[in-house]
Amino acid sequence: MSSTTPSTADDAAVPERSDFIRDTIRADVADGLEEVVTRFPPEPNGYLHIGHAKSIGLNFGVADDFGGRCNLRFDDTNPEAEEQEFAQAITEDLAWLGFSPDRVLYASDYFEQLYAWAEDLIEAGLAYVDDQDAETISEQRGGYGRPGVDSPYRDRSVEENLTLFRGMRAGQFPDGEKVLRAKIDMQHDVMQLRDPVLYRIRRVPHDRTGTDWIIYPTYDWAHGQSDAIEGITHSLCTLEFADHRPLYDWCLNHLELPHGKPEQTEFARLNLTHTVMSKRVLARLVADGVVDGWDDPRMPTLRGMRRRGYPPAAIRAFIDHIGVAKTNSMHDIELLESFIRTHHNAHALRRMGVMDPLKVVITNWPEGQEDALEAVNNPEDEAAGTRQVPFSGELWIERDDFMVDPPKKFYRLSPGTEVRLRGGYLITATDAELDESGEVVQVNCTYDPETRGGQAPDGRKVKSTMHWVSAGHAADVTVHEYDRLFSEPNPGALDDPMDGLNPDSKRTFTAKVEPAAVETPPGEVIQFERVGYFVADAQEPRTFHKVVGLRDEWARIQKRRQNN
Ligand code: ATP
Ligand code: MG
């Protein structure tokens, strides 16, 4: 999506979108900034989720709006948790979402430069090797209103620091015995500036650099400098990094940079009701078997959403719609779902499928006769054409579309009422057959042969149109229907988010569907009329996942809020 054509302040596309970040960038461009360069910097320690999609949409969107570039940079400075497998998955998910990075880069490629800069800092008297353990260092940092305590090693000479730091790299000390710290100010109001740790000793092989390194830079030493190496102009990150910005600037201000100095700007994380975005909690859901993996259709991961039948275009439209803000907030998951529904309403082919089948026998249907009725594939899209749906004297209808003894406003099928079978005939129920427990097992009906296609020649009206499937032609398919993964609206706010889980977030059953539904290509979404949208599983034949229902829950929520 990011273009490679060079742009200048004059020919930069005029951005349509406006927000506090784009307004700042527009001012920078007006001040003569030649090219806007951004990056999306995931740590390859998990799969991307819808929160990452917000960051992606912003970084790539900004680059696109200003005719600039956006890199994918793996922030792989922490060897314990990171794996190439995740990097591969992130690359795939980014492409699936519809974005292509200008360059794919790894912070680990900068280890040598980061190390050289650390030596520069030592030589400038701005960093020292500390022999204290992590706990002591953390203790001495103090807190707001609590003074910091200088390390007894703070005033080592440049020569001694250089020798020790080189010794750290060369493997002369065990893990954790020494760290490199910036020498800033142990009394600073900004805690991050109280001599932060820049390097740790960790004999953990790195996925890309193997055993080349046994010292690894911290986030604070790696991130801004990686931005600087790549010529990033605007480093957009989430609000929790606001506290780190003074340190980000401090590091860059004390180094010789190859390009201009990048500028960090923070924006609010995306939070959605009834789910969590924390990788730690998502990993627990997988490990504890609450879900069937990172790509479970209930997961807020991009992989989960892909299996669930969420189209990338609808996710992008949602991300654009919510925009960026400076304060954290919670968005209703129903809003995301409304984007999914709107997309499928325009594109999904209509099919008939009965989720909870009840047998209907048409007693006056000529024995052995079959009919094929023409049905519209998508009323929203004439080009989608029509199909033939087989009809016969034995049908399946939805169990809750029939009642023996209905209340007043029940207009669907009941003894004596006439209803329309969609695209088919008008039928009238005569009686129902019950089993010993009183449950209806069969409804007997008569049909009016004059009403083929659904209209009565005498113009008489019926109040209800129902979906159906010819029993002799129906195929059995497995349907997975999902509810909220967390019944709790904001599980992240609980002491243990797992306490907010919905114990019944998945229901699996067999449905009866018309033959055309079975032909749905893997990964494609159809609408089962009157029921909802369903995606054909990418691997399992005759298996569908419910994407979303037909009712616009978001409109309902908004109305309720207006009335309050
Ligand atoms: P976690 O803390 O769960 O491990 P993370 O934020 O550290 O997640 P990264 O892989 O480091 O995950 O994130 C890559 C980028 O995506 C970062 O710039 C991060 O700020 C951004 N990001 C992560 N989660 C969200 C979110 N919910 N909303 C917006 N941006 C996000
Ligand atoms: Mg992170």
Side-chain angles (χ1 to χ4, degrees):
M1 271 211 171
S2 67
S3 106
T4 47
T5 31
S7 71
T8 65
D10 295 333
D11 68 11
V14 180
E16 292 164 31
R17 291 174 282 193
S18 185
D19 51 55
F20 74 100
I21 288 177
R22 287 173 168 88
D23 293 348
T24 311
I25 297 177
R26 202 167 297 126
D28 292 341
V29 170
D31 281 350
L33 175 68
E34 287 197 355
E35 189 182 29
V36 174
V37 187
T38 57
R39 86 286 171 268
F40 171 62
E43 195 180 338
N45 65 350
Y47 295 93
L48 295 183
H49 53 58
I50 180 81
H52 292 116
K54 176 176 180 179
S55 175
I56 292 167
L58 177 63
N59 279 294
F60 282 87
V62 158
D64 204 43
D65 284 358
F66 291 91
R69 299 185 284 119
C70 181
N71 294 338
L72 168 60
R73 178 170 78 236
F74 291 106
D75 215 343
D76 59 344
T77 55
N78 179 23
E80 276 98 349
E82 295 161 1
E83 287 167 30
Q84 268 305 113
E85 184 195 316
F86 290 127
Q88 179 63 31
I90 289 170
T91 309
E92 286 167 16
D93 289 352
L94 185 67
W96 175 77
L97 197 56
F99 297 94
S100 48
D102 186 62
R103 294 194 289 162
V104 179
L105 302 159
Y106 293 82
S108 57
D109 285 343
Y110 313 141
F111 280 170
E112 200 60 59
Q113 174 66 69
L114 294 173
Y115 176 85
W117 270 333
E119 286 207 354
D120 290 349
L121 216 54
I122 293 172
E123 275 169 28
L126 293 170
Y128 61 97
V129 172
D130 196 335
D131 296 0
Q132 303 181 109
D133 59 26
E135 209 176 309
T136 311
I137 290 174
S138 160
E139 190 96 327
Q140 288 176 349
R141 184 154 291 148
Y144 294 100
R146 276 196 297 130
V149 176
D150 282 4
S151 162
Y153 302 97
R154 198 169 194 266
D155 291 318
R156 278 177 160 152
S157 69
V158 168
E159 289 67 35
E160 190 183 1
N161 280 318
L162 265 185
T163 308
L164 290 173
F165 188 48
R166 287 172 184 164
M168 282 169 62
R169 177 179 183 172
Q172 290 168 11
F173 313 109
D175 285 17
E177 193 177 284
K178 292 184 175 10
V179 294
L180 184 74
R181 297 177 72 180
K183 189 171 178 177
I184 307 179
D185 181 354
M186 285 308 290
Q187 308 307 326
H188 209 287
D189 287 344
V190 176
M191 292 306 129
Q192 271 74 13
L193 292 181
R194 293 190 179 181
D195 292 10
V197 173
L198 307 182
Y199 272 92
R200 297 188 185 94
I201 308 174
R202 269 183 203 174
R203 283 173 175 77
V204 178
H206 186 282
D207 246 32
R208 297 186 78 251
T209 60
T211 51
D212 291 355
W213 293 88
I214 58 160
I215 57 169
Y216 290 99
T218 55
Y219 169 87
D220 288 312
W221 186 247
H223 201 88
Q225 281 79 303
S226 300
D227 286 341
I229 290 167
E230 293 173 15
I232 302 301
T233 55
H234 296 85
S235 182
L236 311 175
C237 61
T238 38
L239 286 175
E240 67 273 22
F241 292 102
D243 291 345
H244 294 248
R245 183 162 17 104
L247 178 54
Y248 181 99
D249 288 332
W250 184 91
C251 294
L252 295 176
N253 287 339
H254 290 93
L255 301 172
E256 291 270 350
L257 304 178
H259 311 277
K261 193 184 145 205
E263 190 184 321
Q264 173 179 312
T265 308
E266 306 87 21
F267 64 95
R269 285 181 95 85
L270 170 66
N271 293 303
L272 278 180
T273 54
H274 299 285
T275 191
V276 291
M277 303 283 173
S278 151
K279 275 183 224 163
R280 202 174 37 80
V281 179
L282 295 177
R284 263 179 82 193
L285 293 172
V286 175
D288 294 359
V290 173
V291 295
D292 301 327
W294 287 94
D295 66 346
D296 185 290
R298 289 165 290 181
M299 289 284 268
T301 53
L302 295 184
R303 311 214 129 195
M305 292 186 171
R306 174 166 51 196
R307 275 195 78 202
R308 182 73 180 264
Y310 281 21
I315 297 175
R316 293 197 303 267
F318 166 73
I319 294 297
D320 272 352
H321 174 87
I322 59 171
V324 282
K326 271 188 254 196
T327 44
N328 280 320
S329 65
M330 182 72 89
H331 288 277
D332 293 297
I333 198 154
E334 290 86 353
L335 175 61
L336 169 61
E337 289 172 344
S338 77
F339 276 86
I340 308 303
R341 185 181 297 111
T342 300
H343 180 100
H344 289 321
N345 182 45
H347 299 102
L349 298 182
R350 273 53 170 178
R351 297 290 182 253
M352 286 199 282
V354 175
M355 305 296 117
D356 186 9
L358 173 63
K359 177 70 73 68
V360 162
V361 173
I362 301 176
T363 49
N364 61 337
W365 185 261
E367 175 115 28
Q369 181 171 303
E370 285 184 14
D371 197 355
L373 299 159
E374 185 166 59
V376 171
N377 281 329
N378 184 355
E380 305 288 324
D381 177 13
E382 215 179 308
T386 60
R387 71 188 183 285
Q388 301 287 310
V389 187
F391 189 94
S392 67
E394 282 201 15
L395 309 169
W396 296 111
I397 63 164
E398 214 67 72
R399 181 164 289 278
D400 66 4
D401 277 340
F402 176 80
M403 283 184 93
V404 181
D405 192 13
K408 251 205 165 102
K409 289 206 166 147
F410 186 86
Y411 298 120
R412 288 167 282 163
L413 199 61
S414 61
T417 355
E418 186 172 52
V419 300
R420 177 183 299 108
L421 294 175
R422 170 155 293 189
Y425 295 87
L426 303 189
I427 59 167
T428 305
T430 49
D431 61 291
E433 295 174 20
L434 315 183
D435 64 12
E436 296 104 67
S437 66
E439 187 168 354
V440 181
V441 290
Q442 181 175 314
V443 182
N444 297 319
C445 295
T446 58
Y447 86 113
D448 178 350
E450 302 299 310
T451 57
R452 190 174 186 275
Q455 298 309 320
D458 64 1
R460 72 179 186 275
K461 300 266 181 281
V462 293
K463 284 220 164 89
S464 194
T465 300
M466 294 167 11
H467 61 278
W468 52 273
V469 175
S470 168
H473 303 89
D476 282 358
V477 298
T478 301
V479 173
H480 301 294
E481 186 182 65
Y482 303 103
D483 195 353
R484 306 284 174 232
L485 186 50
F486 292 86
S487 31
E488 184 65 33
N490 186 5
L494 300 177
D495 286 340
D496 184 358
M498 305 299 248
D499 292 341
L501 277 171
N502 175 4
D504 300 310
S505 57
K506 181 177 183 178
R507 193 168 74 87
T508 299
F509 54 87
T510 302
K512 304 269 185 200
V513 305
E514 65 165 289
V518 179
E519 307 299 315
T520 309
E524 291 262 311
V525 172
I526 56 175
Q527 182 196 97
F528 281 129
E529 298 201 45
R530 296 179 68 230
V531 183
Y533 296 98
F534 292 78
V535 63
D537 190 78
Q539 268 98 45
E540 291 289 318
R542 297 187 179 223
T543 301
F544 288 87
H545 305 273
K546 185 166 180 183
V547 184
V548 67
L550 295 177
R551 201 167 58 164
D552 188 350
E553 311 271 357
W554 172 240
R556 216 169 38 85
I557 288 177
Q558 278 174 307
K559 205 178 237 162
R560 200 178 57 214
R561 283 191 188 139
Q562 267 162 19
N563 293 340
N564 282 347

